[in-house]
C-alpha cells in the first residue's frame, strides 16, 4: 500500500488581526496541501478557487500526474510501460483493485467481462426511440443511466463488483449499437471468442452479410488507446462521477453523469474538434500558420484544439506515445497522412511560438488520438465515445475509492454570493 498522507507541518493564516494554524498534509509523491476543513468553523471564511484549479477535492491512490514534468502513472506504474506491455482489461483491473492481476485473476476477470457484453433485448427498442442523427454521446449517457432500470438490486459488495464488470463489458456494445442505429444497420451481437478491442471493432464494422476479419494490429492499437484514456485523476468528468456518487447515487447513474461531462468540447470533445480543425485547415489549402495566427488572436474564438491542459505544463506523455503510433497505423491502413502532416506542422510552429511557449501550451492526448481514430475508420462523432470506453475503469476506480473512504462526505462546495441583498417583492403594476 502507498504511504498514507500524514500531517507534516502547519500553515498559518492571518486575517483581521487574528491568526489560525492549519495542518499541512503531504502525499506519497511529496505534494503538499493545506487542510482548510476547519477554516469556516473557526473564522467564518471560505476559500474561493474558480474551476478548482488549486483545490484538492480528495485523497486518492489511483493516478499520479506531475504536469510540470509530463508524468502520468496508474497505481505507480508509468503510462508508457502499461501502454506498451499491458492489455486494457489488465489495466482496468489494476485501476480498480490497486495491483496488477495474477494470471488467474486476469483470466477470471476477462471471462466475466466477456460474458456480460450482451444487452437485454429490450435495449434495441430503447435505441429506436432516438433520432437517427442523435449524437452518440447523449445516447451512451442515456443508455448507461437506463442500465439502472435493469439492475435494481440494492447495492452490496457483491453486486457492486458485478455492476463494475457490466459497465466495462456493455460499454462497447452500447457504443457500437449507438453507431449502428445512426447508420441504419442491424446491431451485431458481441462474440465471446474475440478480445475486448476486436469485439468492439467487429460490432462497429461487421454486418450479418459477411464475415468481418479483425486486423490484430489495429485491435492492439485500439486497446492501447483505451489504456491511455483509462484514468486521469480529478478531471471534470471524474470529479462529476465522484460528486454525483457522493449523494450515494449508484454507479450507473454516477457514470452516466460523467459521460455528459466528458462530452464537452473543452474536455473529451476536443479530439473531435481537433480533426474538424485539421480538416478545415486542409480545405483552406493547409495553412497551419494562418490558423495559428487566429488561435492567438483574442478577438477570435478559435483555439488550437488539442493544445494546452489544465494540469500538463509540459508535453502530455500520452500525446508522445500516440505520435509514435500514428505512422504505424496510417501505413497499416494505407490512408493518406495529410492530416497527420498538418498536425505535425502545427505542433512544430506552435512549439517555437512565444504565445504557446510562454503559456506552456503543449500537445495533449487529443492532438494525435483523432488522427489514429480516423485511420481506424471510427467516425468523428464517435471519438468521444472511444474516450468514454477507455475512461470507464478510471471512473469506476475513483467512484469506489470515494465510497470506501472513511472521510467520505456528500460534495457540497460553498460560494461567495454576489447578487442583490434583501429587497421586497412588488406587485406587477408597481414595477418600474
Ligand atoms: N489555443 C490558444 N490559446 C490557448 C489554448 C489553445 N488551445 N489553451 C489555452 N490558451 C490560452 C488562453 O487563451 C489563456 O491565454 P491568456 O492567459 O492570454 O488569457 C491561457 O492560454 C490559459 O488558458 P486557460 O483557458 O486559462 O487554461 P485552462 O487551464 O483553464 O484550460 C484547456 C485548459 C484544456 C481547457 C485549454 O488549454 C483549451 O481550451 N485547450 C483546447 C481544448 C483541448 O485541447 N482540450 C483537451 C484537454 S485534454 C483532454 C482531457 O484530459 O480532458
Amino acid at each position: 500500500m502507498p504511504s498514507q498522507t500524514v500531517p507534516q507541518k502547519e500553515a498559518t493564516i492571518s486575517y483581521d488581526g487574528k491568526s489560525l494554524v492549519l495542518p499541512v498534509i503531504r502525499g506519497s509523491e511529496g505534494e503538499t496541501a493545506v487542510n482548510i476543513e476547519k477554516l469556516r468553523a473557526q473564522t467564518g471564511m471560505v476559500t474561493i478557487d474558480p474551476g478548482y484549479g488549486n483545490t484538492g477535492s480528495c485523497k486518492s491512490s489511483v493516478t499520479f500526474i506531475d504536469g510540470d514534468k509530463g508524468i502520468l502513472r496508474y497505481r505507480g506504474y508509468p503510462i508508457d510501460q502499461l501502454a506498451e506491455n499491458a492489455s486494457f482489461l489488465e489495466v482496468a483491473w489494476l485501476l480498480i483493485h490497486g495491483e496488477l492481476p495474477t494470471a488467474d485473476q486476469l483470466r477470471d476477470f476477462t471471462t466475466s467481462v466477456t460474458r456480460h457484453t450482451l444487452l437485454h433485448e429490450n435495449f434495441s427498442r430503447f435505441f429506436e426511440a432516438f433520432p437517427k442523427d442523435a449524437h452518440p454521446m447523449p445516447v451512451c449517457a442515456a443508455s448507461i443511466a437506463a442500465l439502472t432500470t435493469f439492475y435494481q438490486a440494492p447495492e452490496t459488495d457483491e453486486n457492486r463488483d458485478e455492476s463494475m464488470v457490466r459497465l466495462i463489458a456493455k460499454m462497447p456494445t452500447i457504443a457500437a449499437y449507438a453507431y449502428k442505429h445512426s447508420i441504419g444497420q442491424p446491431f451485431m451481437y458481441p462474440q465471446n471468442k474475440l478480445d475486448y478491442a476486436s469485439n468492439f471493432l467487429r460490432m462497429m464494422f461487421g454486418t450479418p452479410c459477411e464475415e468481418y476479419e479483425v486486423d490484430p494490429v489495429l485491435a492492439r492499437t485500439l486497446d492501447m488507446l483505451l489504456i491511455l484514456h483509462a484514468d486521469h485523476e480529478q478531471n471534470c468528468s471524474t470529479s462529476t462521477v465522484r460528486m454525483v456518487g457522493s449523494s450515494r447515487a449508484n454507479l450507473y447513474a454516477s457514470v452516466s453523469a460523467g459521460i455528459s461531462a466528458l462530452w464537452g468540447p473543452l474536455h473529451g470533445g476536443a479530439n473531435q474538434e481537433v480533426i474538424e480543425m485539421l480538416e478545415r485547415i486542409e480545405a483552406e489549402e493547409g495553412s497551419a500558420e494562418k490558423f495559428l495566427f487566429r488561435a492567438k488572436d483574442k478577438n477570435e474564438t478559435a483555439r488550437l484544439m488539442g493544445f494546452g491542459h489544465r494540469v500538463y505544463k509540459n508535453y502530455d506523455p500520452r500525446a508522445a506515445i500516440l505520435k509514435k503510433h500514428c505512422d504505424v497505423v496510417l501505413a497499416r491502413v494505407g490512408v493518406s497522412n495529410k492530416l497527420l502532416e498538418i498536425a505535425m506542422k502545427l505542433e512544430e510552429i506552435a512549439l517555437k511560438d512565444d504565445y504557446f511557449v510562454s503559456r506552456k501550451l503543449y500537445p495533449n492526448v487529443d492532438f494525435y488520438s483523432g488522427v489514429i481514430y480516423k485511420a481506424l475508420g471510427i467516425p468523428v462523432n464517435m471519438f468521444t465515445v472511444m474516450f468514454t470506453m477507455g475512461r470507464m475503469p478510471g471512473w469506476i476506480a475513483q467512484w469506489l475509492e470515494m465510497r470506501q473512504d472513511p472521510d467520505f462526505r456528500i460534495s457540497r462546495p460553498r460560494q461567495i454570493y454576489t447578487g442583490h441583498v434583501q429587497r421586497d417583492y412588488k406587485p406587477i403594476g408597481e414595477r418600474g
Side-chain angles (χ1 to χ4, degrees), residues 232 266-267 270 295 298 303-310 318 355-356 359 361 364 366:
H232 214 232
L266 294 188
H267 190 10
K298 296 289 172 203
R303 279 195 166 193
L304 178 53
M305 297 312 285
F307 251 69
H309 200 276
R310 174 59 64 78
R318 302 166 300 172
Y355 176 94
F356 294 92
R359 289 169 178 78
L361 301 170
N364 61 50
D366 289 328

Side-chain angles (χ1 to χ4, degrees), residues 336-353:
S336 142
N337 61 3
K338 187 74 195 145
L339 294 187
L340 177 60
E341 278 170 23
I342 297 173
M344 288 170 75
K345 183 80 189 155
L346 278 172
E347 179 189 327
E348 189 194 320
I349 316 173
L351 293 183
K352 286 189 204 135
D353 187 307

